[in-house]
Amino acid sequence: VLDSQYGTYVWPCAVVLAQYLWAHRRSLPGKRVLEIGAGVSLPGVVAARCGAQVILSDSEELPRCLQSCRSSCLMNRLPRVPVLGLTWGRVSPELLSLAPIDIILGSDVFFDPKDFEDILTTIYFLLDKNPHAQFWATYQVRSADWSIEALLYKWNLKSIHVPLHSFGADKEHLASSSMPGRHTIEMMIISLAQSEGT
């Protein structure tokens, strides 16, 4: 989808995260997956096609993005995948009533620094409810000044870096897509930090 509005465009990070899901496809059947900021939903669609129980979400304030999620599901023969309006940083009835999850997906959600804390607030809420869960995130390096390290510490979260070469994503072309190109894309897995004494 070549529409440069945030959630109606397949960004390079989505292709890289989809590659990670494909590389781990044998572990996905039966897993409960939530994609945040899903937009076109490439990672969520790949997870669903690999047998995961997927819920797609984007901001309740962006109806075009929610429609984009629904359209992607229909085009990929996934009519039963639920699409929810979840706005980062906002506790809503939809967020409170989410079923248990194992994996949260986010591709290029760390796009605008003003959203970083709202994203991590939502991630902390979800991980606190699902302590075994992980947040699998890809992001494009746009500025050396942007960092979430202090926010991870504040919200008692930790991250590990996942080298792209470890899942065959250190190439300019992935799965017949030139999207990754020469962009600097990174991947991390965020989880709850262990509290002292546990």
Side-chain angles (χ1 to χ4, degrees):
V1 176
L2 297 175
D3 182 335
S4 60
Q5 298 252 331
Y6 293 125
T8 55
Y9 182 76
V10 179
W11 293 93
C13 289
V15 179
V16 173
L17 186 54
Q19 176 76 13
Y20 186 79
L21 289 156
W22 182 250
H24 292 86
R25 64 190 174 275
R26 287 178 183 80
S27 68
L28 291 174
K31 289 280 196 268
R32 298 160 303 189
V33 174
L34 169 69
E35 184 175 2
I36 64 166
V40 178
S41 316
L42 177 62
V45 164
V46 170
R49 298 292 293 176
C50 290
Q53 300 168 25
V54 174
I55 298 172
L56 300 174
S57 73
D58 213 311
S59 173
E60 60 195 329
E61 298 167 358
L62 299 172
R64 275 186 69 194
C65 292
L66 293 169
Q67 185 53 47
S68 184
C69 293
R70 291 183 192 99
S71 296
S72 291
C73 289
L74 292 175
M75 285 187 275
N76 287 282
R77 298 184 198 100
L78 298 165
R80 291 184 177 83
V81 171
V83 175
L84 296 179
L86 296 178
T87 301
W88 302 327
R90 184 179 301 160
V91 177
S92 64
E94 291 78 13
L95 184 66
L96 291 170
S97 64
L98 269 177
I101 53 175
D102 302 303
I103 301 165
I104 306 159
L105 301 175
S107 67
D108 217 5
V109 295
F110 294 108
F111 180 86
D112 190 339
K114 73 176 177 52
D115 295 326
F116 289 3
E117 185 152 25
D118 285 343
I119 293 164
L120 290 175
T121 301
T122 300
I123 294 304
Y124 175 79
F125 176 85
L126 292 167
L127 293 178
D128 191 51
K129 277 182 67 172
N130 303 276
H132 66 284
Q134 295 179 329
F135 177 36
W136 297 359
T138 51
Y139 62 96
Q140 184 173 329
V141 178
R142 292 183 172 88
S143 170
D145 296 334
W146 295 1
S147 174
I148 62 169
E149 190 173 343
L151 292 171
L152 291 173
Y153 181 79
K154 175 181 178 179
W155 288 102
N156 195 34
L157 300 169
K158 65 179 179 180
S159 74
I160 59 165
H161 178 259
V162 180
L164 269 55
H165 70 82
S166 70
F167 58 100
D170 57 340
K171 303 170 180 66
E172 288 186 27
H173 291 76
L174 288 179
S176 301
S177 170
S178 60
M179 279 294 194
R182 296 181 183 268
H183 301 287
T184 303
I185 297 171
E186 300 289 341
M187 176 161 181
M188 64 183 158
I189 295 177
I190 295 176
S191 58
L192 285 178
Q194 296 298 317
S195 57
E196 288 184 32
T198 59

